[in-house]
Amino acid sequence: MRRRCRTASSRRAGEVVLDVKEARKEFGGLVAVNDVSFQVRAGQILGLIGPNGAGKSTTFNLVTGVLPATRGTVALRGQAIQSLPSREIAARGVARTFQHVKMIPTMTVLENVALGAHLRGSAGVASAVLRLDRAEERRLLREAQKQLERIGMADRMHELAGNLALGPQRLMEIARALAADPMLLLLDEPAAGLRLKEKQALAAVLRQLRDEGMAILLVEHDMDLVMGPVDRVVVMEFGTKLIEGTPDEVQASPAVRAAYLGTEH
Ligand code: ADP
Ligand code: MG
């Protein structure tokens, strides 16, 4: 029941789901994330872009609890999460995908997605599955099927995950993240290596989830994908937030062109 409540309330469009305030991460003398602040609201896609080494992945890791912040706060619907372990953060409704798809290639798409419904995290996959009883297993498979239907992949669910092309694999990862019933979805370069058609399919799924009230943080290198479905963009350079704005505002910024777009072309 608690999960249902959470999903319903997260659909209050515009509510601040993720609030990052002056987050800082130092590695020895290197400031990887330099007092960065931003918010992601329900029903919004925030793109986080910047050149290599800008601090995007580190920021992502601060939000998911993979790395502890040196300073600053990360709040999920008003509750501080920056000192919680990543499993606890996942359990509170933060789901992520990985830049390199994590899956068990010899299991079906449905089974791979079902793992996400059980885990809400990344650790202990096999042992968790082995401990399931039959009723729980059926529930997870039903949930997995629902999420695959939600993103238009039901027709592929009995295929082996390892046989899918990269585009459908990325969508499978999104379905798996959704099976954990998140209010915030974090995507790490989901368009990397995709063909145009696959990027378009991905963008359509992201738009749909946004319209359903999901808060989405998209770390992305691919400018086309960022500027398509994204509502707001944060640009980072050398660990510092350079600018935040709409895709149009960001693209028009001379500072961004110099720091980022210039290096892309
Ligand atoms: P991006 O994802 O934007 O390419 P990262 O967040 O991966 O950038 O890296 C930001 C900076 O922090 C880089 O200079 C990188 O070398 C450094 N960095 C990232 N992770 C670590 C780490 N675990 N230890 C030391 N330095 C790191
Ligand atoms: Mg990175």
Side-chain angles (χ1 to χ4, degrees):
M1 284 315 285
R2 278 181 65 208
R3 289 175 62 189
R4 294 221 172 286
C5 292
R6 188 177 72 198
T7 304
S9 49
S10 73
R11 289 201 177 129
R12 270 185 262 136
E15 180 194 10
V16 175
V17 173
L18 176 70
D19 194 1
V20 176
K21 277 201 189 118
E22 310 211 333
R24 185 175 189 86
K25 183 65 186 177
E26 298 172 3
F27 295 110
L30 176 84
V31 183
V33 178
N34 189 3
D35 302 338
V36 168
S37 303
F38 60 87
Q39 296 181 329
V40 190
R41 295 168 182 271
Q44 187 187 57
I45 305 177
L46 182 79
L48 183 59
I49 67 170
N52 272 334
K56 305 180 298 292
S57 292
T58 305
T59 302
F60 198 94
N61 288 335
L62 297 181
V63 172
T64 53
V66 170
L67 289 171
T70 305
R71 273 208 305 274
T73 58
V74 181
L76 190 66
R77 283 185 50 206
Q79 292 193 311
I81 58 169
Q82 72 272 0
S83 52
L84 298 177
S86 54
R87 279 191 79 83
E88 176 61 21
I89 292 174
R92 289 182 182 213
V94 177
R96 67 168 297 179
T97 64
F98 296 87
Q99 187 174 340
H100 301 287
V101 177
K102 298 200 177 194
M103 61 174 176
I104 301 177
T106 52
M107 285 170 69
T108 65
V109 171
L110 183 69
E111 288 164 339
N112 270 277
V113 173
L115 291 176
H118 180 59
L119 288 172
R120 301 178 157 229
S122 56
V125 177
S127 61
V129 169
L130 293 174
R131 271 189 263 114
L132 295 179
D133 63 36
R134 278 284 164 81
E136 175 69 355
E137 190 181 315
R138 271 200 302 276
R139 186 189 72 75
L140 295 178
L141 290 171
R142 264 201 313 274
E143 176 66 23
Q145 182 173 347
K146 197 174 93 187
Q147 298 305 336
L148 284 163
E149 285 165 356
R150 182 179 180 185
I151 65 163
M153 262 191 81
D155 57 332
R156 315 289 305 266
M157 69 183 179
H158 296 304
E159 291 181 36
L160 294 184
N163 289 349
L164 296 182
L166 189 57
Q169 279 182 6
R170 289 261 166 73
L171 292 179
M172 175 182 74
E173 274 226 301
I174 291 175
R176 184 170 58 197
L178 292 174
D181 192 22
M183 63 177 100
L184 173 67
L185 187 59
L186 298 140
L187 306 166
D188 199 359
E189 303 208 19
L194 298 195
R195 300 158 193 268
L196 180 62
K197 277 243 151 62
E198 294 175 325
K199 283 183 198 172
Q200 288 167 342
L202 172 66
V205 166
L206 297 184
R207 280 197 192 91
Q208 177 199 327
L209 295 174
R210 183 255 317 271
D211 294 346
E212 290 171 11
M214 187 73 70
I216 301 176
L217 177 61
L218 181 67
V219 170
E220 192 48 79
H221 213 77
D222 188 296
M223 293 298 282
D224 295 341
L225 186 81
V226 172
M227 298 311 173
V230 162
D231 300 293
R232 292 187 72 72
V233 181
V234 168
V235 184
M236 289 180 73
E237 188 191 23
F238 301 125
T240 303
K241 179 167 144 182
L242 201 61
I243 186 177
E244 175 177 345
T246 63
D248 286 346
E249 287 164 356
V250 164
Q251 274 174 310
S253 156
V256 171
R257 301 194 84 85
Y260 187 72
L261 299 176
T263 66
E264 281 290 283
H265 299 289

